[in-house]
Amino acid sequence: MIRLSVQLRSLRLPFRQALQTAGELGADGVEIDLRNELRPEELTQTGIRHLKKILSDYNLKIASVRFPTRRGYNVLEDLDRRVAATKAAMTSAYQLGAKVLCNHIGGIDENLEAETNTRLVEVLHDLARHADSCGVTFAATTGQVDGPILKMFLDQLPEGALGVDFDPGALIINGFSADESYQAIAKYVVHVRGKDGVKDLARGRGIEVPLGRGTVDFQMLIAMLEEARYKGYITVQRDHPENPVQEVADGLAYLRNIQVP
């Protein structure tokens, strides 16, 4: 059975209450947002010990941390500050006991020789070195580019430098194939998002829908993850929930049901 996690922000509850709710829902882990829920500069050793005690009380692990930046690492404006903040978040992730830090890396030019790609590779090299020194994997969240293009880009980096945070729902929403993308980047996947989507012909793009109601074939995805001996979590995420706790609970139940042997 692949372990299941809850993105705390999806519950739309105060932080402590969200942790308790995740525990009550029977999740194995949680994803914490190090920009909007806990800030690295505010984490004291006492605070970290207290958080670990709460997690232990609810039988939870930190499956992943998220550090969403306004811009990708391909954008020059404020780049040094963005990189420094990401490194601080990696250090905090390690202190919290998290193994994976997730964020979008920014747009990738289909022409791999493009100057923006060269700059992005350099920045990711730098971030990967810091992540390695922390014992954390920096994972690029999917959705902005097609899987095969992301694979060609990641293949330029040293092996093990970067992981992938596989978000099948975001790929569908942006008009890509989740199945083809996974097959292209499978070896890089260190975290998976339980998020679903469907194409909306009227809008010309996809929309997010509750887990199991979209076009992502989670049964097949889980089978492929198990075949690859995937050791990470699937984190249930709802970006626009109408009934947050119920929708997260339903998502966990859906993923449990399709994993029953």
Side-chain angles (χ1 to χ4, degrees):
M1 293 277 285
I2 293 174
R3 294 170 295 174
L4 302 179
S5 164
V6 168
Q7 184 191 64
L8 291 181
R9 285 200 79 193
S10 294
L11 294 168
R12 303 297 193 268
L13 294 169
F15 185 70
R16 176 69 186 264
Q17 194 180 343
L19 284 171
Q20 181 179 341
T21 301
E24 289 169 351
L25 292 176
D28 302 302
V30 293
E31 179 177 73
I32 294 174
D33 186 319
L34 284 183
R35 196 171 197 98
N36 300 293
E37 290 173 327
L38 293 177
R39 288 182 171 272
E41 64 269 20
E42 294 168 1
L43 278 174
T44 63
Q45 290 305 310
T46 304
I48 290 169
R49 282 195 298 271
H50 182 57
L51 175 56
K52 286 182 175 178
K53 171 70 168 62
I54 295 170
L55 288 164
S56 174
D57 289 345
Y58 295 132
N59 292 315
L60 294 168
K61 303 279 188 189
I62 298 181
S64 55
V65 297
R66 200 164 178 224
F67 190 69
T69 51
R70 286 198 189 95
R71 302 179 183 90
Y73 302 99
N74 57 328
V75 179
L76 269 175
E77 189 180 345
D78 285 335
L79 181 58
D80 289 346
R81 194 192 313 176
R82 197 154 53 251
V83 168
T86 304
K87 287 179 178 178
M90 287 175 183
T91 302
S92 294
Y94 168 75
Q95 291 169 339
L96 290 168
K99 299 277 197 305
V100 178
L101 181 141
C102 307
N103 190 20
H104 287 283
I105 59 174
I108 295 170
D109 197 304
E110 291 190 30
N111 172 16
L112 293 181
E113 311 274 313
E115 186 186 339
T116 50
N117 282 353
T118 305
R119 183 165 62 240
L120 183 55
V121 166
E122 288 174 5
V123 174
L124 293 175
H125 259 294
D126 185 27
L127 288 171
R129 279 193 295 270
H130 188 78
D132 188 50
S133 71
C134 290
V136 172
T137 299
F138 181 64
T141 304
T142 62
Q144 296 179 334
V145 295
D146 202 2
I149 293 171
L150 180 59
K151 178 195 183 296
M152 286 191 294
F153 177 80
L154 293 176
D155 284 348
Q156 299 177 96
L157 292 160
E159 191 169 343
L162 221 66
V164 163
D165 169 31
F166 186 69
D167 185 339
L171 286 161
I172 296 291
I173 289 164
N174 288 312
F176 303 119
S177 164
D179 294 343
E180 286 175 16
S181 289
Y182 175 77
Q183 287 165 12
I185 56 180
K187 72 172 186 176
Y188 289 106
V189 174
V190 294
H191 182 258
V192 175
R193 296 199 176 272
K195 195 166 98 179
D196 213 340
V198 292
K199 289 179 182 175
D200 185 333
L201 296 177
R203 297 187 189 193
R205 71 189 303 270
I207 56 169
E208 185 200 5
V209 293
L211 268 179
R213 296 191 195 171
T215 54
V216 178
D217 187 340
F218 278 99
Q219 196 150 18
M220 187 169 78
L221 175 58
I222 286 171
M224 290 191 292
L225 289 168
E226 287 176 340
E227 190 179 339
R229 299 186 178 177
Y230 174 68
K231 303 287 189 215
Y233 289 78
I234 300 178
T235 296
V236 174
Q237 174 178 334
R238 288 290 283 128
D239 291 340
H240 306 290
E242 292 178 13
N243 188 342
V245 175
Q246 187 59 53
E247 288 177 34
V248 169
D250 290 347
L252 286 169
Y254 170 75
L255 291 172
R256 284 191 193 108
N257 286 340
I258 61 177
Q259 288 198 82
V260 173

